[in-house]
Amino acid sequence: NNVCSLRCPLCYLALQSEDTGSLPLERIEGLLEEWAEMGVFQLALGGGEALISPKFAPVVRSARQRGIVPNVTTNGVMISEGLLDQVQGSLGELRLSLNDAVTVKLPMLEAKAALLRARGQRFGFNLIVTRRNLERLPSLLSWAYAQGAGTLDLIRPKPVSGNQRWYEENALSASDGARLGVVL
C-alpha cells in the first residue's frame, strides 16, 4: 500500500493519506496462485505501512497456504496481540524499521520485540546507516541482538524528492564508507 501511520523524514516513498491504487484482494489472490505455480517461495510485504491494510492478514494466510513464506517490513506501531493472532503460524519474518535509530522510539520497538519474542514470532530490524549513527553502530548491533532479533539488515540512505535535505545531511561519504568497513 502507499499509506503509513508515520511521516519519517528519511522515507523514500511518496505516501498518501488514503490507500488508492493498491490491488484488490481478488487480484492479489490470483497473483499468489500464479506465483505458487511458478515456484515462488517468498513474498516481501511492505508499503507504506503494510499492517494498516485490511488485506494484510488474509494475504499472509493465503500466501502461506500456497507454500509461499510471507515476510513483512513494518514501523511496528500496529503490532498487537490481535494482529499476531490473525497471522499465527503464517508469517515468516517480521522486519521492524529501526530507521536511522534517531527518528524512531526505541522503547516502543523494545516493547514490540518483547511481544514478538513472547509469541515466538521470528523478527529482525532494518537499520539505515547514516553519518549520524555510524559511531553508534556497534551499540545498535548489540541492542538489536539483546532484543532477540534474528537478523539485522544495514541499508544505505535513498535520495528521493521530499527528503533531499535529510539525505544530504545523512548520506555516507567515501570516508564514512571506509569507516563503516572498519566498524563491521
Side-chain angles (χ1 to χ4, degrees):
N1 67 20
N2 53 18
V3 296
C4 184
S5 54
L6 303 177
R7 293 289 186 261
C8 302
L10 51 89
C11 189
Y12 63 94
L13 294 173
L15 298 171
Q16 300 174 352
S17 58
E18 292 184 30
D19 187 19
T20 56
S22 66
L23 296 175
L25 184 57
E26 298 76 28
R27 177 66 178 128
I28 295 170
E29 293 280 349
L31 288 169
L32 289 170
E33 190 63 38
E34 288 177 41
W35 295 336
E37 290 171 9
M38 294 168 57
V40 170
F41 58 88
Q42 181 172 295
L43 175 65
L45 299 169
E49 174 52 52
L51 304 186
I52 288 176
S53 174
K55 298 176 240 176
F56 174 72
V59 168
V60 166
R61 290 189 304 265
S62 182
R64 185 57 89 149
Q65 289 167 355
R66 289 175 169 82
I68 301 172
V69 177
N71 299 301
V72 64
T73 299
T74 175
N75 63 33
V77 172
M78 305 289 292
I79 296 171
S80 67
E81 289 276 353
L83 178 73
L84 294 174
D85 287 344
Q86 292 178 48
V87 296
Q88 183 69 35
S90 297
L91 196 57
E93 184 173 70
L94 200 146
R95 312 264 327 146
L96 294 162
S97 295
L98 191 51
N99 290 344
D100 58 359
V102 174
T103 58
V104 297
K105 296 180 174 127
L106 291 179
M108 184 273 295
L109 289 178
E110 288 173 353
K112 300 301 181 171
L115 173 59
L116 295 169
R117 277 193 318 272
R119 295 294 297 262
Q121 174 60 59
R122 180 177 168 79
F123 71 96
F125 292 102
N126 290 344
L127 172 66
I128 300 173
V129 180
T130 68
R131 254 182 241 144
R132 292 168 56 188
N133 68 19
L134 185 55
E135 295 302 320
R136 294 177 47 216
L137 190 55
S139 65
L140 290 169
L141 294 172
S142 294
W143 177 88
Y145 179 76
Q147 301 312 306
T151 57
L152 176 66
D153 286 349
L154 303 179
I155 304 169
R156 69 174 185 82
K158 297 176 179 110
V160 294
S161 64
N163 82 347
Q164 192 61 34
R165 181 175 173 201
W166 180 91
Y167 178 79
E168 290 169 2
E169 293 172 355
N170 289 281
L172 298 178
S173 66
S175 63
D176 292 331
R179 284 185 17 233
L180 173 60
V182 169
V183 168
L184 294 176

